[in-house]
């Protein structure tokens, strides 16, 4: 499959990159993956950081426990009300409360504790400690999946072919080789929308895209050997993603109980610029699929789309969030009406509360979020150690 992808990228005049860690992202290349080279098992923040803290520090995990809210005396955080198996009790804070619940749950925890938009808190009878727009500037990339039968082998048949799955499992467990050592795709591509597709965008979309940095790609091309469940044949899934995010979503509350899921409205693919860009990306996709020579038949999820209206409706059906969400508690200056935390993650308007996760990243990066999140975590961990 990789040879077909390289053939396609070259035919579309993508430049070859040795990797995407240098700061330059235009072109195609092999992506870095968090897989242990000895075991071929995926590493994570838990295996790389948290598991080490278990043994090296006094870090303690309260299992099956949910934080109810941050407790305050005036505007000073004093601890956290928590619940374990029906028992409610308080964990007192000697220095500060660190919120690291992620891009959806961190804003929820702030809001149920009284930090958030006054109108949302009032709906749930939550006393307002700080009136700031928590959860109101969510950003995420939008992606679309298009699936084809593939004329070369791939991982998609693992579910539906028992013999193939058995052999792949045996290879992985005994020698750490075979298809289970690969998640299904190796090569990425990044680009700004090129001619002639760019000329088809309206003036408003072009003006909004012109506000982005010159070296920021607008499109990511991710291609993997994935297919429908229980597939017995090989499939390839082309997943272009819009990196030029111009829509903003929101996180709200269903109740004052943090056990209830928050209201998540990502507003993905809602802006006219994203929609105009998506239509042209679909047209670019047809050129790319043909250039790879990998597809052995028509697209299987939505079929052929011809008019712009058909394309827009079709890509809406295949659209999905890219799980790169940021900016629900964005970092900035206190004078910025959208900012929730300062450059050290400290929440404006109160003392003793800090947010340390992807929610504080104020602008979405034009790529994958793992490295930016780790970078922010390292920065804010250093701030915690230095007491600033």
């Amino acid at each position: 499959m990789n040879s077909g992808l390289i053939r396609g990228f070259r035919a579309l005049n993508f430049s070859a990159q040795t990797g995407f860690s240098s700061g330059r992202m235009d072109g195609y290349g092999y992506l870095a993956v968090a897989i242990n080279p000895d075991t071929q098992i995926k590493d994570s923040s838990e295996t790389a950081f948290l598991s080490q803290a278990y043994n090296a520090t006094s870090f303690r995990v309260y299992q099956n426990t949910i934080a109810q809210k941050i407790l305050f005396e005036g505007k000073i955080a004093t601890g956290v009300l928590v619940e374990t198996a029906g028992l409610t009790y308080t964990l007192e804070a000697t220095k500060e409360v660190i919120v690291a619940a992620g891009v959806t749950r961190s804003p929820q925890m702030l809001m149920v504790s009284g930090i958030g938009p006054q109108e949302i808190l009032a709906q749930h009878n939550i006393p307002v400690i700080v009136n700031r727009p928590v959860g109101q500037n969510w950003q995420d990339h939008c992606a679309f999946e298009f699936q084809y039968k593939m004329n070369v082998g791939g991982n998609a048949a693992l579910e539906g072919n028992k013999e193939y799955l058995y052999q792949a499992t045996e290879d992985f467990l005994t020698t750490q080789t075979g298809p289970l050592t690969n998640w299904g795709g190796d090569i990425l591509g990044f680009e700004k929308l090129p001619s002639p597709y760019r000329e088809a965008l309206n003036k408003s979309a072009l003006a909004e895209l012109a506000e982005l940095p010159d070296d920021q790609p607008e499109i990511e091309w991710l291609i993997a050997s994935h297919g429908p469940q229980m597939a017995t044949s090989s499939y390839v899934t082309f997943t272009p993603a819009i990196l030029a995010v111009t829509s903003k979503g929101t996180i709200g509350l269903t109740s004052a109980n943090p056990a209830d899921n928050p209201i998540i409205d990502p507003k993905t693919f809602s802006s006219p610029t994203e929609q105009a860009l998506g239509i042209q990306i679909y047209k670019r996709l047809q050129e790319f699929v043909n250039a790879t020579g990998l597809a052995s038949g028509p697209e299987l999820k939505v079929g052929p789309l011809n008019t712009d209206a058909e394309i827009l409706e079709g890509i809406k059906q295949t659209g999905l969030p890219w799980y790169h969400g940021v900016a629900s508690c964005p970092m900035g200056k206190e004078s910025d009406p959208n900012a929730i935390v300062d450059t050290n993650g400290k929440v404006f308007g109160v003392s003793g509360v800090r947010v340390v996760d992807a929610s504080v990243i104020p602008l979405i990066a034009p790529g994958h979020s793992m490295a930016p999140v780790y970078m922010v975590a390292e920065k804010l961990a250093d701030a915690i150690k230095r007491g600033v």
Side-chain angles (χ1 to χ4, degrees):
M1 187 179 84
N2 287 344
S3 60
L5 296 180
I6 292 172
R7 179 170 59 247
F9 280 124
R10 287 175 175 172
L12 271 60
N13 297 316
F14 279 68
S15 60
Q17 295 284 359
T18 56
F20 297 107
S21 300
S22 66
R24 181 181 175 186
M25 295 183 64
D26 60 308
Y28 74 92
Y30 285 86
L31 72 160
V33 292
I35 294 177
N36 186 303
D38 296 323
T39 64
Q40 290 298 311
I41 295 174
K42 182 180 179 180
D43 268 327
S44 67
S45 56
E46 193 278 333
T47 60
F49 297 95
L50 189 58
S51 61
Q52 296 181 33
Y54 290 148
N55 300 320
T57 71
S58 58
F59 184 83
R60 178 181 297 177
V61 174
Y62 288 76
Q63 297 184 3
N64 303 313
T65 299
I66 183 169
Q68 297 291 314
K69 63 179 179 178
I70 303 167
L71 300 175
F72 290 91
E73 289 184 3
K75 294 196 174 185
I76 301 173
T78 59
V80 182
L81 185 69
V82 302
E83 182 266 326
T84 304
L87 175 65
T88 300
Y89 54 99
T90 298
L91 297 176
E92 294 183 353
T94 57
K95 294 183 180 179
E96 62 182 354
V97 174
I98 298 173
V99 181
V103 72
T104 58
R105 294 290 186 174
S106 283
Q108 181 191 26
M109 179 50 55
L110 293 184
M111 285 189 282
V112 299
S113 303
I115 303 169
Q118 183 172 342
E119 61 275 16
I120 293 179
L121 304 190
Q123 291 172 11
H124 303 286
N125 299 314
I126 300 171
V128 178
I129 297 174
V130 177
N131 177 24
R132 291 192 83 94
V134 172
Q136 303 307 295
N137 288 282
W138 160 298
Q139 299 172 41
D140 195 1
H141 297 136
C142 177
F144 315 98
E145 283 191 343
F146 300 95
Q147 208 164 83
Y148 302 81
K149 277 195 171 183
M150 185 167 60
N151 53 28
V152 297
N155 287 11
L158 282 169
E159 282 191 74
N161 188 323
K162 292 182 179 179
E163 291 77 13
Y164 184 35
L165 178 59
Y166 176 84
Q167 187 58 56
T169 304
E170 183 74 11
D171 292 341
F172 180 81
L173 292 176
T174 56
T175 61
Q176 290 74 56
T177 60
L180 289 180
T181 64
N182 188 289
W183 70 276
D186 293 310
I187 299 176
L188 296 178
F190 295 90
E191 67 171 345
K192 283 186 177 292
L193 184 70
S195 296
Y197 310 101
R198 195 170 199 85
E199 284 70 23
L201 296 176
N202 58 48
K203 291 182 179 180
S204 176
L206 288 171
E208 197 159 16
L209 294 175
E211 296 177 4
L212 300 174
D214 291 340
D215 61 349
Q216 176 173 326
E218 298 160 347
I219 309 165
E220 175 183 344
W221 294 96
L222 186 148
I223 308 95
S225 175
H226 296 164
Q229 290 187 341
M230 304 310 293
T232 56
S233 302
S234 292
Y235 290 81
V236 58
T237 299
F238 290 79
T239 311
I242 293 177
L243 304 184
V245 177
T246 55
S247 60
K248 291 187 177 182
T250 60
I251 309 294
L253 295 178
T254 53
S255 77
N257 186 349
D260 294 334
N261 288 328
I263 299 171
I264 302 173
D265 183 5
K267 293 184 171 60
T268 304
F269 199 54
S270 62
S271 80
T273 294
E274 289 176 344
Q275 293 179 3
L277 189 56
I279 291 170
Q280 299 308 315
I281 288 173
Y282 177 83
K283 296 175 182 179
R284 174 73 159 165
L285 170 72
Q286 311 314 305
E287 183 183 10
F288 186 28
V289 171
N290 291 335
T292 66
L294 293 174
S296 61
E299 202 282 322
L300 301 173
K301 284 202 167 188
V302 294
L305 305 171
N306 298 308
T307 68
D308 285 1
E310 289 175 350
I311 293 171
L312 181 59
E313 186 58 34
I315 58 182
K316 283 182 178 180
Q317 293 177 27
T318 70
L320 68 159
W322 214 216
Y323 307 108
H324 295 161
V326 299
S328 53
C329 300
M331 186 180 289
K333 295 181 178 180
E334 191 167 8
S335 58
D336 180 350
N338 293 319
I340 307 301
V341 303
D342 67 13
T343 55
N344 291 315
K346 292 184 175 181
V347 176
F348 291 125
V350 295
S351 176
V353 181
R354 195 189 305 254
V355 181
V356 183
D357 57 34
S359 68
V360 306
I361 300 175
L363 296 170
I364 192 164
H368 292 197
S369 58
M370 180 176 171
V373 170
Y374 281 20
M375 179 274 294
V376 168
E378 293 279 8
K379 166 187 164 55
L380 297 184
D382 181 66
I384 293 167
K385 289 191 293 184
R386 292 188 293 114
V388 298

